[in-house]
Amino acid sequence: MGQDKPVVDGKALPLDDIIVEIRNMTFTRGSRKIFDDISLKIPRGKVTAIMGPSGTGKTTLLKLIGGQLRPDTGEILLDGQNIPKLNRKDLFIVRERMGMLFQSGALFTDMNVFDNIAFPIRVHTELPEVMIRDIVLMKLQAVGLRGAVSLMPSELSGGMARRVALARAISLDPDIVMYDEPFTGQDPIAMGVLVNLIKRLNQALGHTSIIVSHDIQETLSIADYIYVLSDGKIIAEGTPEMLKQQDSEQVRQFVDGLPDGPVPFHYPAPDLLDELMAGGVFK
Amino acid sequence: MILDNIQRLGHRTLSKCAAFGRSGQILFQSIVARPAPMMMLPLLIKQIYFIGVLSLVIIVVSGAFIGMVLGLQGYTILVDYGSEQAVGQMVALSLLRELAPVVTALLFAGRAGSALTAEIGLMKATEQLASLEMIGVDPYRRIIAPRLYAGFICMPLLSMIFAVVGIWGAAVVAVDWLGIYSGAYWANMQQAVDFREDVINGLIKAVVFGFIVTWIAVYQGYDCVPTSEGISQATTRTVVYASLAVLGFDFVLTALMFGDL
């Protein structure tokens, strides 16, 4: 933080053209503070990554932006509209501008691939079926699965299901596409395909991408700007190059994948010797 | 120790109150936010098929056997008093007033209620409900409302089918097997059964039970912990709570309808 102005592809990152802005947001779950007064900006039309170790609230952040959760305090602005303050009806209208790729794909299991992708179009537009067919086929062509149009979700592999879910997420050409751990559990080929797709779609469709991930190499290769979360705070931000040059121990541990460091390998526990010497049975 | 128990009791009471509030909210939102008729109709028909049509086998088979047992038991008791001709009357009144709505509701809770809870719970676990929300579709409208309305519609119909099949089952035993004069069987029934008092009251019970069972089932599914254990517990809770609620409400309704209160 506090470094030179971020530059992407030789151009300054448009941090004055912001589509999503989070201001002084605090979010608590039970007695645990997930976010402690964080602020961040998502630039329009770019790929922004939210990274950090497991359990730091990356997926929670996407749910907060999508209005599925409400923060305790602070604002989440989408083009000036404060998401937490919207009523249910307005929230559903705003969500038409968002697409989300869930970690599990979340395809509707009672519909085939075609109907899954056609679903948002049928719900939100009055386009004739002939046109819907063409749009669905184009979206499937973009993710390379036009041949799988008639398959049921149970017939798809994990990577294919995620690509179909991606086609569904972009079916209405949203302004923002949020990716929740898109690379988790994928084989190297599927991962490469997804990395390529996210970057290509972002460039071709011009939407804003927000990626939540802890797959460092893949995310660094496509992100324009990165926020690193830990312990409810943003511990680093910047372009991939800026992040690689960070000196902070916490950031280095995460970027270099070190098993121990500021984020300890061991979950907090009493001294091992004391516990072994105490004897007795486990309660 | 005592303070801990009081605290635990208070915590449980508060969480039960909160759960009751959430279930009321789901019911209210689903009824208020029902989809437009053109969107609702295909969803409703699909749910009527899953909830109603697929329950027919268990309802028809159970109705037939319960009617046959009623006919047989009724005959063996009434024949001692030389009143075996009244079997038709006894069977019809038992079925229409009590057994059809109550047994149908219990079977409905076991077959359709548990299926509703498991289906909605699994949709929650696989993020399909969250996905609907993010697509900008209200799950109350799309998922909950059609299932609720299908439950309201199917329960009275299934209860009527149960009663009709039961009466026919009793006729097979009493008339065809035990040899009661068929004219007496049907004429006594016709004379004793009052349409408003017996048929309509039975139907009112079925509507109320359908409402209770479906409400409990969709709430348990929507509010479950989205894990395999959570869904299994929610499904069990649906059957237990719905069965107890049906039996409890049956007493209240019977007291109001037939208890001359």
Side-chain angles (χ1 to χ4, degrees):
Chain A
M1 285 194 271
Q3 300 183 6
D4 298 337
K5 212 169 180 184
V7 172
V8 175
D9 299 334
K11 292 175 191 164
L13 199 70
L15 281 178
D16 49 344
D17 187 9
I18 301 302
I19 188 160
V20 176
E21 182 172 6
I22 295 177
R23 285 185 193 156
N24 307 107
M25 184 192 68
T26 300
F27 179 73
T28 314
R29 188 172 271 157
S31 57
R32 193 178 156 223
K33 202 171 252 187
I34 310 284
F35 297 117
D36 185 9
D37 195 30
I38 65 161
S39 299
L40 59 85
K41 293 175 177 178
I42 311 280
R44 192 185 305 275
K46 298 291 173 191
V47 180
T48 303
I50 314 287
M51 303 187 77
S54 295
T56 46
K58 302 185 295 293
T59 302
T60 305
L61 188 64
L62 287 191
K63 287 185 176 174
L64 284 159
I65 295 172
Q68 290 180 292
L69 296 172
R70 285 176 198 269
D72 303 333
T73 56
E75 294 179 324
I76 301 168
L77 303 169
L78 172 68
D79 273 337
Q81 275 186 299
N82 192 4
I83 304 260
K85 297 283 180 204
L86 295 178
N87 61 32
R88 201 170 163 82
K89 193 179 165 196
D90 291 337
L91 195 56
F92 281 116
I93 294 170
V94 163
R95 282 179 184 155
E96 289 174 31
R97 296 180 55 197
M98 302 177 184
M100 183 153 175
L101 177 69
F102 286 86
Q103 197 171 345
S104 61
L107 295 174
F108 303 127
T109 45
D110 58 336
M111 298 180 192
N112 64 14
V113 167
F114 181 90
D115 288 329
N116 259 287
I117 301 167
F119 180 77
I121 310 172
R122 285 181 179 141
V123 170
H124 291 302
T125 70
E126 290 176 1
L127 293 175
E129 277 299 314
V130 184
M131 204 174 276
I132 291 175
R133 176 185 169 275
D134 292 347
I135 295 172
V136 171
L137 290 180
M138 281 194 287
K139 301 295 176 190
L140 278 173
Q141 176 72 11
V143 297
L145 288 176
R146 191 163 45 81
V149 67
S150 309
L151 296 182
M152 293 299 288
S154 57
E155 297 172 290
L156 303 172
S157 68
M160 287 165 80
R162 225 164 278 191
R163 280 150 71 189
V164 172
L166 177 54
R168 185 180 67 183
I170 58 167
S171 61
L172 283 174
D173 294 328
D175 296 335
I176 302 174
V177 181
M178 296 189 274
Y179 301 87
D180 184 12
E181 301 284 7
F183 314 118
T184 305
Q186 300 295 310
D187 65 66
I189 300 171
M191 206 184 271
V193 168
L194 279 167
V195 168
N196 198 16
L197 266 178
I198 293 171
K199 189 70 186 170
R200 272 199 307 129
L201 288 173
N202 180 261
Q203 285 167 349
L205 304 176
H207 57 233
T208 303
S209 301
I210 306 174
I211 301 176
V212 151
S213 178
H214 48 221
D215 292 287
I216 298 159
Q217 296 314 321
E218 289 73 23
T219 310
L220 290 185
S221 70
I222 53 171
D224 295 316
Y225 203 75
I226 297 165
Y227 288 95
V228 183
L229 296 174
S230 185
D231 294 331
K233 299 269 188 194
I234 294 169
I235 56 166
E237 65 177 285
T239 60
E241 288 69 32
M242 289 161 79
L243 212 66
K244 283 172 191 165
Q245 290 157 14
Q246 283 271 340
D247 297 328
S248 151
E249 262 189 83
Q250 271 180 301
V251 179
R252 287 260 56 86
Q253 185 194 0
F254 181 70
V255 173
D256 298 337
L258 303 174
D260 214 347
V263 178
F265 170 68
H266 288 288
Y267 193 78
D271 186 67
L272 176 65
L273 189 62
D274 291 347
E275 202 159 0
L276 291 176
M277 294 305 284
V281 292
F282 183 75
K283 286 179 186 170
Chain B
M1 183 69 179
I2 294 171
L3 275 178
D4 282 351
N5 285 336
I6 293 172
Q7 190 189 19
R8 218 169 289 143
L9 182 70
H11 180 72
R12 278 194 182 175
T13 310
L14 283 177
S15 56
K16 290 285 173 205
C17 287
F20 197 73
R22 284 198 302 275
S23 67
Q25 190 194 9
I26 286 177
L27 181 69
F28 178 76
Q29 295 264 22
S30 307
I31 290 173
V32 169
R34 69 177 194 283
M38 284 309 286
M39 184 185 152
M40 177 78 161
L41 199 60
L43 296 173
L44 190 62
I45 289 170
K46 189 176 170 188
Q47 290 311 318
I48 286 175
Y49 174 76
F50 282 117
I51 292 174
V53 178
L54 295 184
S55 301
L56 269 177
V57 174
I58 191 172
I59 295 296
V60 168
V61 173
S62 308
F65 280 117
I66 285 178
M68 287 159 79
V69 168
L70 271 180
L72 193 56
Q73 289 279 19
Y75 178 85
T76 52
I77 293 167
L78 291 171
V79 77
D80 291 343
Y81 305 96
S83 312
E84 66 271 22
Q85 313 291 334
V87 166
Q89 173 184 350
M90 190 214 77
V91 165
L93 290 179
S94 316
L95 279 169
L96 290 169
R97 287 183 175 192
E98 284 300 324
L99 288 172
V102 172
V103 178
T104 305
L106 295 177
L107 294 170
F108 187 72
R111 206 223 69 96
S114 57
L116 279 179
T117 303
E119 186 191 17
I120 296 172
L122 265 173
M123 289 176 96
K124 187 176 181 183
T126 54
E127 296 182 303
Q128 290 181 55
L129 294 181
S131 164
L132 270 178
E133 284 193 356
M134 286 311 297
I135 287 172
V137 175
D138 189 347
Y140 290 144
R141 281 182 141 196
R142 179 90 198 176
I143 302 295
I144 307 295
R147 284 162 177 77
L148 266 179
Y149 283 102
F152 302 163
I153 293 167
C154 290
M155 233 323 272
L157 293 172
L158 290 172
S159 172
M160 277 196 283
I161 292 168
F162 186 99
V164 169
V165 174
I167 289 168
W168 277 105
V172 168
V173 171
V175 176
D176 299 335
W177 180 24
L178 299 170
I180 293 175
Y181 176 53
S182 93
Y185 180 88
W186 295 110
N188 274 336
M189 189 186 298
Q190 195 178 9
Q191 214 168 22
V193 174
D194 180 76
F195 182 74
R196 202 201 64 79
E197 178 88 350
D198 302 315
V199 179
I200 296 295
N201 277 342
L203 273 177
I204 291 171
K205 278 187 177 183
V207 171
V208 173
F209 297 160
F211 176 80
I212 292 168
V213 172
T214 323
W215 180 21
I216 291 174
V218 295
Y219 166 68
Q220 289 295 342
Y222 199 81
D223 204 54
C224 75
V225 179
T227 60
S228 47
E229 192 190 7
I231 294 168
S232 129
Q233 283 174 350
T235 311
T236 308
R237 273 200 301 272
T238 291
V239 178
V240 173
Y241 291 176
S243 304
L244 293 178
V246 164
L247 295 171
F249 270 89
D250 182 46
F251 174 73
V252 174
L253 289 172
T254 305
L256 289 173
M257 290 168 174
F258 307 105
D260 293 329
L261 292 174

